[in-house]
Amino acid sequence: MKAMVITDFGGTEVFEQRDVEKPTPGASELLVRVHASSINPVDTKIRQAGSWAGISPPTVIGYDVSGVVEAVGEEVTDFAEGDEVFYTPEIFGEEGSYAEYHTADESIVARKPENLSHTEAAALPLAAATAWEAIVTRGEVEAGETVLVHGAGGVGAHAVQIASASGAQVVATASPETVEQTEDIGATRAIDYESEEFADVIESEFDEPVDLVFDTVGGETLAESTGVVKPHGRMVTILEPEGEWGSAYQKNLDVHMLFLERDRRPLDALRRLAERGQLEPVIDSVLPLEEVAKAHEMVESGGLTGKVVLDISGE
């Protein structure tokens, strides 16, 4: 099968197209013909130096799949040949999705939303499942609450939609290029982080502090947000937080650090939202698999308005 392999850790020059052996599914696994994948920031980090994830080049990376089941292991009960599925592959020590075929345990796989194409569905698994876990599972969002999302990129844009679908009022920081888009997908107020201070906006335009903060930016962003959160509020981050945390203690805030665990449960929820029209993939560009190096460069350069998706089947 055709695959884009990293031959070593490093820059985008480490990608090389190779013909590699087609995988065989284990007893509880599916063999999936990959129609599309997408690029996440973690992909670029693993390409650069992925030994922390048990990755050993030469290998295939990539952590989003939308495709069709081609074969199943003898213990598989929930899927059959021909089913359309989507999922985010395991990271630690596993091969990824920049290839024509991929195997995965059925426990982490879900049926693809019927109303989405494979290129659309491939934009969702890692980013949107992370957003679901942050807003719903860890953040325990409730209707009528106010949620502040820092960064309306791949994860954040889906968090805005999930929080809005849950009945929350959403405020989000965004790049100048994505302010209008962020409000179009559900934010009550999108804050241009280049020209506005989020704390000033919340203090001047909202009657109360926020109930939940979700940070996808990192650095001291989460610590700097403690002043706009209600006492006993919640904060979730997907990056290691920095800064001073005295006010978080004084307000008895719940602070959660989130690294997504692979599981079918959030994907089933995302499918329902997508099929109801409450969750739309946010896509910047679609490129062929052979241009994965360019896709990585685009993600690392920033300034995107959504996910970069790889069309692997040539649809």
Side-chain angles (χ1 to χ4, degrees):
M1 68 173 182
K2 179 175 67 177
M4 295 302 295
V5 173
I6 58 166
T7 58
D8 200 351
F9 294 127
T12 57
E13 73 280 355
V14 302
F15 282 112
E16 181 178 293
Q17 183 175 323
R18 291 185 179 180
D19 186 26
V20 302
E21 185 176 356
K22 182 178 176 180
T24 301
S28 62
E29 291 183 327
L30 313 175
L31 173 65
V32 177
R33 172 71 166 91
V34 182
H35 283 237
S37 184
S38 70
I39 314 300
N40 297 282
V42 71
D43 300 38
T44 66
K45 294 175 183 177
I46 289 176
R47 187 208 73 231
Q48 292 166 359
S51 57
W52 60 270
I55 304 300
S56 299
T59 191
V60 179
I61 64 173
Y63 305 103
D64 279 313
V65 169
S66 183
V68 178
V69 176
E70 183 161 298
V72 300
E74 61 268 23
E75 296 179 7
V76 171
T77 59
D78 295 338
F79 298 94
E81 181 181 342
D83 286 344
E84 293 189 323
V85 297
F86 76 139
Y87 60 97
T88 174
E90 298 281 3
I91 287 182
F92 294 98
E94 301 288 339
E95 292 213 335
S97 56
Y98 299 167
E100 292 181 303
Y101 291 90
H102 186 264
T103 56
D105 193 274
E106 70 166 337
S107 64
I108 70 169
V109 177
R111 282 178 168 75
K112 179 183 76 67
E114 292 183 357
N115 59 326
L116 299 183
S117 68
H118 286 293
T119 52
E120 291 172 328
L124 291 178
L126 179 53
T130 299
W132 173 271
E133 292 293 275
I135 298 298
V136 177
T137 304
R138 302 291 184 88
E140 298 182 323
V141 67
E142 295 183 1
E145 292 189 322
T146 300
V147 177
L148 170 61
V149 177
H150 282 297
V155 175
H158 297 102
V160 167
Q161 295 181 73
I162 291 167
S164 178
S166 300
Q169 174 179 235
V170 184
V171 186
T173 62
S175 66
E177 298 83 4
T178 59
V179 165
E180 183 176 350
Q181 172 182 282
T182 302
E183 293 184 347
D184 287 343
I185 62 174
T188 301
R189 176 70 154 87
I191 300 170
D192 179 347
Y193 61 68
E194 290 189 4
S195 62
E196 299 179 287
E197 295 292 335
F198 70 87
D200 293 341
V201 171
I202 291 171
E203 182 178 355
S204 63
E205 298 184 19
F206 293 84
D207 295 333
E208 295 181 321
V210 305
D211 301 277
L212 169 64
V213 175
F214 176 36
D215 176 35
T216 72
V217 175
E220 297 189 3
T221 302
L222 199 68
E224 293 171 350
S225 300
T226 56
V228 301
V229 187
K230 294 177 181 178
H232 301 279
R234 294 95 67 202
M235 310 182 83
V236 184
T237 182
I238 56 174
L239 296 165
E240 186 174 351
E242 302 173 4
E244 297 295 326
W245 290 92
S247 61
Y249 287 103
Q250 295 163 13
K251 287 186 171 182
N252 286 298
L253 302 183
D254 289 334
V255 181
H256 300 267
M257 288 178 281
L258 171 63
F259 186 91
L260 181 67
E261 297 174 336
R262 272 54 182 170
D263 185 7
R264 185 187 303 167
R265 175 183 47 82
L267 299 177
D268 282 339
L270 298 178
R271 185 190 71 249
R272 291 190 292 270
L273 286 178
E275 291 178 346
R276 294 171 186 163
Q278 295 176 296
L279 177 67
E280 295 182 6
V282 182
I283 297 174
D284 179 277
S285 306
V286 179
L287 300 176
L289 176 62
E290 294 80 5
E291 294 186 25
V292 66
K294 178 181 177 180
H296 272 236
E297 291 166 0
M298 292 171 65
V299 171
E300 290 175 310
S301 296
L304 301 175
T305 58
K307 297 289 295 293
V308 179
V309 177
L310 299 175
D311 180 359
I312 296 176
S313 65
E315 291 185 327

